[in-house]
């Protein structure tokens, strides 16, 4: 009987959670890149400009498809885009003026951007594990002959995406 009680006590103490075994919802994890849109005719003005009916679609694996919240149904002044943590670049199609007419024809102007970076894993805690930060981030716009994106400019000199609070890139249109 004493052995059973000792075994039960051992099971409860070994299997119990410590404070650092739970990853808090407020703990920062892998950040998304924060991009804001600005008027190319007023580059010195620091007021974001809407992109009407913006639709954002991821290109390639792991999750191609429309990025939630950016489905082309409304104007956007900024976007938060997830970057791939297993590759050194991610592509998105940013579609300005997205609309489907009565003939199921897609209207508007899509531009493809490629976000290139160097991945760096950073230890967060025992419960949360690692997060990925992105260094040397560069955004390039594919020239399709009808670009609505005129300029993509990094906000910080070191071109690092470590947190989502700050704007990382400004896109002028």
């Amino acid at each position: 009987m004493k052995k059973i009680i000792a075994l039960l006590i051992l099971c409860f103490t070994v299997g119990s959670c410590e404070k650092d075994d739970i990853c808090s919802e407020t703990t920062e994890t892998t950040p998304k890149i924060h991009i804001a849109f600005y008027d190319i005719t007023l580059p010195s003005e620091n007021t974001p400009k809407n992109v009407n009916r913006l639709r954002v679609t991821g290109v390639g694996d792991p999750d191609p498809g429309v990025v939630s919240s950016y489905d082309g149904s409304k104007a956007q002044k900024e976007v938060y885009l997830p970057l791939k943590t297993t590759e050194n670049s991610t592509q998105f199609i940013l579609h300005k003026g997205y609309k489907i007419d009565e003939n199921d024809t897609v209207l508007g102007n899509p531009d493809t951007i490629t976000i290139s970076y160097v991945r760096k894993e950073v230890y967060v805690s025992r419960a949360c594990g690692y997060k990925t930060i992105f260094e040397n981030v560069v955004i390039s716009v594919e020239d399709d002959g009808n670009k609505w994106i005129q300029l993509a400019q990094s906000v910080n000199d070191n071109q690092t995406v470590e947190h989502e609070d700050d704007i990382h890139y400004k896109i002028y249109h």
Side-chain angles (χ1 to χ4, degrees):
M1 183 68 170
K2 288 182 183 180
K3 289 182 183 180
I4 292 174
I5 293 173
L7 185 61
L8 286 173
I9 291 172
L10 182 64
C11 286
F12 284 115
T13 58
V14 170
S16 65
C17 292
E18 296 293 325
K19 185 176 183 173
D20 62 350
D21 285 343
I22 301 171
C23 188
S24 169
E25 288 183 22
T26 60
T27 302
E28 287 190 22
T29 57
T30 298
K32 295 177 182 175
I33 189 168
H34 184 179
I35 299 171
F37 300 102
Y38 293 86
D39 191 340
I40 189 71
T41 62
L42 302 168
S44 61
E45 193 173 302
N46 207 20
T47 305
K49 177 185 175 187
N50 274 328
V51 176
N52 293 322
R53 300 186 62 84
L54 179 68
R55 180 181 177 97
V56 179
T57 307
V59 177
D61 290 330
D63 266 335
V66 177
V67 178
S68 62
S69 301
Y70 311 118
D71 62 0
S73 64
K74 59 185 174 183
Q76 301 284 342
K77 290 182 180 178
E78 61 185 9
V79 291
Y80 294 85
L81 302 177
L83 300 176
K84 294 178 183 178
T85 58
T86 58
E87 296 180 28
N88 291 328
S89 68
T90 305
Q91 282 190 311
F92 293 96
I93 299 171
L94 280 62
H95 200 126
K96 179 181 182 178
Y98 179 83
K99 184 178 178 183
I100 298 178
D101 70 8
E102 62 277 349
N103 298 322
D104 290 333
T105 303
V106 176
L107 305 174
N109 188 351
D111 278 357
T112 301
I113 64 168
T114 301
I115 306 170
S116 304
Y117 44 83
V118 175
R119 295 169 284 129
K120 181 178 176 184
E121 288 199 353
V122 177
Y123 181 75
V124 177
S125 69
R126 187 170 81 177
C128 299
Y130 289 84
K131 72 176 185 177
T132 303
I133 61 171
F134 307 95
E135 298 177 334
N136 303 321
V137 178
V138 176
I139 294 180
S140 58
V141 184
E142 186 178 302
D143 190 356
D144 61 0
N146 188 22
K147 296 189 323 185
W148 65 269
I149 297 174
Q150 300 299 309
L151 174 66
Q153 185 176 47
S154 176
V155 172
N156 57 19
D157 292 335
N158 61 3
Q159 300 169 315
T160 300
V161 176
E162 198 167 346
H163 309 283
E164 291 181 8
D165 300 336
D166 300 325
I167 295 170
H168 303 111
Y169 258 84
K170 292 181 177 182
I171 288 183
Y172 293 90
H173 64 103

